[in-house]
Amino acid sequence: MAGAALRLKIVQAGEPVLRQRARPLSPEEIRSAAVQALIGHMRETMRDAPA
């Protein structure tokens, strides 16, 4: 991914946020620059995580 890397916080099992239902996104929202950037940051965080 181009640009500066952003490492996101990884929440652990038991965190309340993991029990929250995400709202559905429209195809347009999924294709938006903001959501695509978030997906890229999530991938980088996953690849950098010790797992």
Side-chain angles (χ1 to χ4, degrees):
M1 181 175 164
L6 173 66
R7 189 168 188 191
L8 303 172
K9 178 185 177 205
I10 299 174
V11 296
Q12 302 297 316
E15 293 274 349
V17 71
L18 297 176
R19 295 201 178 270
Q20 295 177 3
R21 184 181 298 254
R23 74 169 177 82
L25 296 177
S26 69
E28 293 78 23
E29 288 175 299
I30 294 169
R31 288 189 293 267
S32 73
V35 172
Q36 289 301 306
L38 175 60
I39 292 169
H41 294 316
M42 291 170 73
R43 284 183 178 152
E44 291 302 315
T45 298
M46 177 190 67
R47 289 183 182 129
D48 196 37

